[in-house]
Amino acid sequence: MLLIAGSFFPLTAAAQQKSTVTVTAKADAPVISKHIYGHFAEHLGRCIYDGFYVGENSKIPNTKGVRNDIITALKDLGIPNLRWPGGCFADTYHWKDGIGPKKDRPTIVNQWWGGVTEDNSFGTHDFLDLCEVLDTEPYLAANVGSGTVQEFTDWIQYVNHGGKSPMSDLRKKNNRDTPWGVKFWGVGNEAWGCGGNMTAEYYANLYKQYATFMADWSNKKEMFRIASGANGGDYNWTEVLMRDIPKNLIDGVALHSYSVIDWNDKGSSVKFDEKQYFETMKAALKMEELVTKHTAIMDKYDPAKKVALIVDEWGGWYDVEEGTNPGFLYQQNTMRDAMIAGTTLNIFNNHSERVRMANLAQTVNVLQAVILTEGDKMLLTPTYHVMKLYKVHHDAKLLPVAVTSPDYKFGNETVPAVSVSASQKEGKTHISMVNIHATEKISTEIKLDGIDAKDFSAKIISSGRLQDHNTFAQPNAITPKDFKDFKYKKGVLTVTLPPFSVVVFESR
Ligand code: AHR
């Protein structure tokens, strides 16, 4: 099947035994925003409490209550932005409950996720100070569903106003003189569902009301307002938002899409068969169609591409691990998740003209996490290692690719087995490739068109079984390794990709 990046339509239907890829240098290609590699931390299960945050009195080494091992791992990953506090939780959250002396903070019952009572010890200062330590941009998702315009705009003034104002005075009283300068603001979350069960028309009106009063106190004049976006293939949602919201009030439209086999029967994260694997891959590859179609609608109303498509929730979603709280969404992370990450990030890279930000759900201990913790132990998942290898694409110039992929067939259905994206930065060319086939290796010829490279080195993430994962007993079972099974001659890379593997090449 011949696929041109940016299009999900097959150009020829003939199955191939070999894959061919052409990588072309294009002067006017977009830059892949590093914000595509963003993360998401909700007050959900053990993401914040007993995940990131263990409290200052914990025996686990921490900085202002946040685990040092997590800080180090996320700094190594170079996370560009972090979305907080939800998710569904965002539309129940009242930020003033999470400031001031911790002993005086009221509690909140987390109505969406397990009904647990939280003490609000992790609040605005804790989150924004953490973002400073991580050198990452905060992305605050504000309460529209059960909040008010006043509460929302007070939050902006509290975190961004540098002069004298009621909220900056309050911030200073809470021991923070300088504003944090938060750029990314989400106006509610999943307004079609947990954010208020609204229609697109109703939300568009509400959005305009909120956005009108969102003053940019940051002094940088770069506030970025993100509208709560569509649920997967709800194209009408994007159509209405793009049609009804004036472009001077909006910078991004969100989209949420999870790779789920069946919402009523999601299956185990580690005990799955090839059929379930194939179904998950089909769901993950659907992202190509989703971003293509949402982009086409956005192009109609915004040909200049001012408004970004922000996929601020994506990833694999399975049944929770046996014996864990069903409301906590704790799942393991296998080679299947590495395949979701590798293919999805290739899709985002190839659509980077419109997709300029995305957030994997969720960073620690929830859904497709990059980090899992148990007591004082921590492990990095295969998804973490994929994202780390793909770091080379952050803010790099996209190199468009044309891919002829063999089919991965299961039963009567097929999906393309090979996925590719490429970019150039600081004189180096990087090509990330994924073979999702469960059993077959695929030989691939990559032609470099107009690209100078003397030679290449490569890293691979692979394992013996699709179900393989890192455990607290064996945290390094899956890590990137050097990869040598390729040749480079006269602008052509010839490579054999093992089954279910991710390979990233770097030119020398
Ligand atoms: O990421 C888990 C939940 O999924 C989020 O809270 C919500 O926005 C989505 O439905």
Side-chain angles (χ1 to χ4, degrees), residues 89 92 107-118 120:
F89 180 80
T92 65
T107 56
I108 178 171
V109 179
N110 195 327
Q111 72 180 75
W112 293 111
W113 307 117
V116 291
T117 303
E118 299 182 4
N120 267 312

Side-chain angles (χ1 to χ4, degrees), residues 132 157-163 171 176-181 217 219:
E132 282 187 340
Q157 194 181 78
Y158 188 85
V159 301
N160 279 0
H161 193 239
R171 185 189 69 232
R176 171 79 192 200
D177 282 343
T178 50
W180 288 277
W217 305 112
N219 288 333

Side-chain angles (χ1 to χ4, degrees), residues 351-369:
H351 286 272
S352 51
E353 209 172 358
R354 184 64 84 173
V355 179
R356 301 203 284 269
M357 185 162 168
N359 301 77
L360 176 63
Q362 299 192 5
T363 325
V364 181
N365 292 333
V366 170
L367 299 176
Q368 192 173 341

Side-chain angles (χ1 to χ4, degrees), residues 40 42 44 87-88 113 189-190 256 258 313 317 362 367:
F40 171 33
E42 180 167 10
L44 194 176
C88 295
W113 307 117
N189 171 74
E190 297 196 349
H256 288 182
Y258 286 96
E313 287 188 28
W317 191 325
Q362 299 192 5
L367 299 176

Side-chain angles (χ1 to χ4, degrees), residues 22-40:
T22 307
V23 182
T24 310
K26 194 163 167 260
D28 62 349
V31 166
I32 299 169
S33 171
K34 66 178 179 183
H35 289 295
I36 283 176
Y37 291 80
H39 291 264
F40 171 33

